[in-house]
């Protein structure tokens, strides 16, 4: 039998989880402090680009399984489970900013019925669930509720599929009643054979950070190998393919490029490092990731200046603004820093992204200095160089001879190793990839 679920925070994670839990047959209410977002969602309009999300949202709305409100009191009063899925951005000195999360916990704590299960889905350092427990206990003046941690591992771009068919579900619970309710909630997945890991709350909280740190590590690792490849005339794509065939290593997350971006890896790596420092522990390898990645954007500038005498008044077509394909998310996207740097150096920028131009315009303070184009060929017009920053499928089918007709120069900087060198050079372009 379905449960009453309330989700606090209707962003990438909260909305996907809400739609997913509704699809499993629960009655879901999603809330947010962003009233505009709630108004859109109530009409079945998805504020983010995420494959399949709007279709599932509309279906659940039609079936009356999901609703949206900015009124927290109405949202939580009948909830069996309250999920926190609010943002936990990078705060001062790299520490996780828990303001939104603790505010949300504080707001709902006294409004819920007894025996409510409060679950933190936001990524937050070990000990945060305990903080939430203490805050709610104080507000209620009683310990008549349960706490659990249920970190989220979905990937933007494939969020719905990841939520409905995850690699695993991790649950941190220290009360059998909480565990039982979580098992019932995830029963559709457990029955499908999805591994369901029940552990202590601190272990669950740490699994999320360890997971993101590992993924960031693989990217930074292959980027270091890529830089060395350039010095010794090796090809990082072949290195990555060959090492990935070793079953102990595996093929994923070994694509050399311009560094990781997005709303999670950067801040989570830093938050884990600070969590260590707070306990007198130095994460030596994990700490180095931020240093390596923060400088990565410079590789694109170096590749351009290797061939163009000056970037002052050079015309650069930037193709790809999203931090990765299949999303319009530009939070911490390498494109933000690279375009900023190019503008500082006096370059003229024409930019194109299949879907992220609007998000980029909203996030980038100097958008008025950029010409946004409707096609990649339009962006390429009169360009001295094409710079690829996101590995969109659309770019893979570019007709280089068409691009050449409209371009001024012949330089291709392939920041995500989308193309084969020979294919580009055979069209009489100068090719600069990463580590090859
Ligand atoms: P987001 O910024 O897309 O959404 C967060 C939402 O919470 C926003 O709409 C915001 O308005 C709302 N909010 C903030 N304070 C609130 C409050 N007090 N009450 C109600 N709503 C409130 O963030 P996201 O990308 O969905 O990430 C949420 C959490 O999940 C973060 O901790 C993140 O690290 C983690 N996470 C994100 C991803 C991802 O790919 N985006 C994946 C796994 C985990």
């Amino acid at each position: 039998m379905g449960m009453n679920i309330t989700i606090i925070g209707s962003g990438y994670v909260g909305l996907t989880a809400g739609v997913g839990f509704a699809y499993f047959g629960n009655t879901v209410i999603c809330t947010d402090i962003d009233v505009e977002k709630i108004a859109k969602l109530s009409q079945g309009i998805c504020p983010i680009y995420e494959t399949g999300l709007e279709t599932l949202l509309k279906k659940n709305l039609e079936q009356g399984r999901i609703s949206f409100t900015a009124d927290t009191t109405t949202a939580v009063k009948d909830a069996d489970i309250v999920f926190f899925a609010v943002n936990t951005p990078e705060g001062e000195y790299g520490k996780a900013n828990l303001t939104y999360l603790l505010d949300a916990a504080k707001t709902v704590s006294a409004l819920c019925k007894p025996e409510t299960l409060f679950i933190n889905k936001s990524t937050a350092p070990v000990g945060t669930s305990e903080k939430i427990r203490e805050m709610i206990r104080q507000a209620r003046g009683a310990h008549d509720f349960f706490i659990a941690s249920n970190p989220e591992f979905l990937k933007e771009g494939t969020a719905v599929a990841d939520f409905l068919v995850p690699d695993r579900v991790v649950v941190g619970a220290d009360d059998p009643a909480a565990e039982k309710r979580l098992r019932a909630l995830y029963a559709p997945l457990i029955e499908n054979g999805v591994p369901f890991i029940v552990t202590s709350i601190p272990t669950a909280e740490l699994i999320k950070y360890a997971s993101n740190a590992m993924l960031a590590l693989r990217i930074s690792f292959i980027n270091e190998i890529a830089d060395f490849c350039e010095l010794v005339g090796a090809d990082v794509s072949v290195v990555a393919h060959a090492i990935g065939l070793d079953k102990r290593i595996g093929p994923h997350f070994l694509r050399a490029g311009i560094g990781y971006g997005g709303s999670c890896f950067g801040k989570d790596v830093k938050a884990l490092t600070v969590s260590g420092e707070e306990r007198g522990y130095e994460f030596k390898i994990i700490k180095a990731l931020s240093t390596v990645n923060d400088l990565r954007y410079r590789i694109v500038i170096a590749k351009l200046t290797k061939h163009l005498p000056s970037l002052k008044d050079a015309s650069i077509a930037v193709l790809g603004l999203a931090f990765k394909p299949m999303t319009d998310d530009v939070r911490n996207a390498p494109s933000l820093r690279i375009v900023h740097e190019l503008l500082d150096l006096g370059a003229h920028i024409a930019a194109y992204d299949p879907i992220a131009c609007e998000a980029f315009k909203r996030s980038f303070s100097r958008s008025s200095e950029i010409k946004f184009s409707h096609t990649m060929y339009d962006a390429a017009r009169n360009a001295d160089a094409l710079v690829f920053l996101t590995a969109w499928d659309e770019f893979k089918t570019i007709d280089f001879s068409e691009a050449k007709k409209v371009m001024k120069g012949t330089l291709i900087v392939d920041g995500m190793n989308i193309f084969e060198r020979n294919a580009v050079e055979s069209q009489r372009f100068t090719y600069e990839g990463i580590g090859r």
Side-chain angles (χ1 to χ4, degrees):
M1 202 182 67
M3 288 183 266
N4 290 331
I5 316 273
T6 299
I7 314 249
I8 315 289
S10 306
Y12 284 85
V13 168
L15 178 59
T16 308
V19 163
F21 288 135
Y23 176 73
F24 293 160
N26 300 288
T27 305
V28 177
I29 305 181
C30 290
T31 71
D32 205 287
I33 46 173
D34 183 340
V35 287
E36 227 173 273
K37 198 178 267 188
I38 291 295
K40 274 192 181 157
L41 288 167
S42 303
Q43 295 165 50
I45 302 166
C46 192
I48 51 173
Y49 178 91
E50 197 55 65
T51 306
L53 189 55
E54 192 164 278
T55 311
L56 209 50
L57 164 68
K58 286 199 165 107
K59 194 172 168 189
N60 282 317
L61 277 168
E62 275 162 27
Q63 293 178 341
R65 287 187 190 152
I66 197 165
S67 59
F68 297 88
T69 176
D71 175 5
T72 318
T73 312
T74 335
V76 298
K77 70 178 176 27
D78 296 321
D80 302 307
I81 297 180
V82 172
F83 272 100
F84 299 112
V86 303
N87 36 329
T88 49
E90 182 178 334
E92 261 189 346
Y93 311 114
K95 210 176 149 114
N97 175 356
L98 300 179
T99 315
Y100 301 97
L101 181 55
L102 297 179
D103 276 359
K106 199 171 179 183
T107 309
V108 301
S109 48
L111 303 171
C112 299
K113 63 185 185 187
E115 310 234 316
T116 300
L117 169 57
F118 295 94
I119 305 180
N120 182 30
K121 214 174 218 330
S122 297
T123 305
V126 176
T128 304
S129 299
E130 276 316 311
K131 275 190 191 154
I132 294 175
R133 191 201 305 268
E134 189 46 32
M135 180 174 266
I136 298 177
R137 195 189 60 73
Q138 278 186 17
R140 294 181 75 83
H143 199 163
D144 59 346
F145 60 92
F146 307 107
I147 285 283
S149 162
N150 174 215
E152 183 51 58
F153 300 95
L154 63 76
K155 302 180 286 299
E156 285 178 26
T158 51
V160 176
D162 290 344
F163 190 84
L164 298 179
V165 193
D167 293 341
R168 76 303 205 190
V169 172
V170 172
V171 156
D174 54 9
D175 190 301
E179 181 186 332
K180 194 173 164 207
R181 216 174 288 178
L182 273 153
R183 276 191 190 278
L185 178 66
Y186 281 109
L189 299 185
I190 298 170
E191 279 160 23
N192 286 342
V194 171
F196 187 73
I197 296 167
V198 182
T199 180
S200 72
I201 292 176
T203 305
E205 290 173 326
L206 185 56
I207 287 169
K208 177 63 195 175
Y209 279 98
S211 173
N212 274 2
M214 183 70 200
L215 294 168
L217 174 69
R218 285 175 74 99
I219 294 175
S220 293
F221 166 83
I222 204 66
N223 283 340
E224 282 212 319
I225 297 290
D227 289 352
F228 191 64
C229 280
E230 294 195 7
L231 293 177
V232 297
D235 183 337
V236 74
S237 307
V238 183
V239 174
H241 175 63
I243 65 172
L245 290 172
D246 185 325
K247 291 189 181 63
R248 294 167 302 174
I249 296 173
H252 303 293
F253 264 71
L254 288 176
R255 184 186 197 131
I258 52 177
Y260 55 77
S263 68
C264 293
F265 289 175
K267 62 134 177 127
D268 291 348
V269 161
K270 286 181 189 155
L272 180 58
T273 310
V274 176
S275 283
E277 281 163 9
E278 285 174 346
R279 288 166 175 82
Y281 180 75
E282 189 187 3
F283 280 106
K284 295 177 203 67
I285 298 172
I286 294 170
K287 193 176 176 180
L289 295 180
S290 304
T291 319
V292 171
N293 198 67
D294 284 353
L295 297 176
R296 194 73 200 155
Y297 73 100
R298 288 193 189 160
I299 198 163
V300 171
I301 313 295
K303 302 258 172 208
L304 285 168
T305 49
K306 188 171 153 190
H307 297 279
L308 301 176
S310 162
L311 286 176
K312 172 118 185 59
D313 290 327
S315 294
I316 310 294
V318 172
L319 301 176
L321 299 168
F323 87 95
K324 67 172 182 179
M326 298 301 289
T327 178
D328 62 351
D329 197 350
V330 300
R331 291 179 287 181
N332 292 317
S335 61
L336 293 165
R337 288 185 86 168
I338 292 166
V339 172
H340 197 282
E341 184 80 5
L342 288 171
L343 288 173
D344 275 355
L345 292 167
H348 303 290
I349 307 290
Y352 169 72
D353 187 286
I355 54 163
C357 283
E358 287 309 312
F360 191 88
K361 277 182 202 167
R362 286 195 298 274
S363 309
F364 190 63
S365 58
R366 300 171 70 181
S367 285
S368 59
E369 296 172 55
I370 300 170
K371 175 182 169 267
F372 290 92
S373 306
H374 293 293
T375 67
M376 47 186 162
Y377 303 103
D378 185 22
R381 199 168 298 283
N382 295 322
D384 293 296
L386 300 187
V387 174
F388 290 87
L389 300 183
T390 316
W392 281 102
D393 279 344
E394 182 179 323
F395 297 156
K396 294 176 188 162
T397 59
I398 188 171
D399 182 338
F400 279 111
S401 59
E402 279 304 305
K404 194 146 193 220
K405 280 184 203 157
V406 296
M407 282 177 71
K408 197 162 63 186
T410 55
L411 176 60
I412 304 286
V413 176
D414 182 5
M416 291 308 295
N417 286 349
I418 303 170
F419 307 106
E420 287 306 322
R421 173 185 291 279
N422 290 347
V424 181
E425 287 182 344
S426 67
Q427 303 283 335
R428 299 217 183 90
F429 277 101
T430 303
Y431 178 81
E432 279 288 341
I434 308 288
R436 55 216 299 237

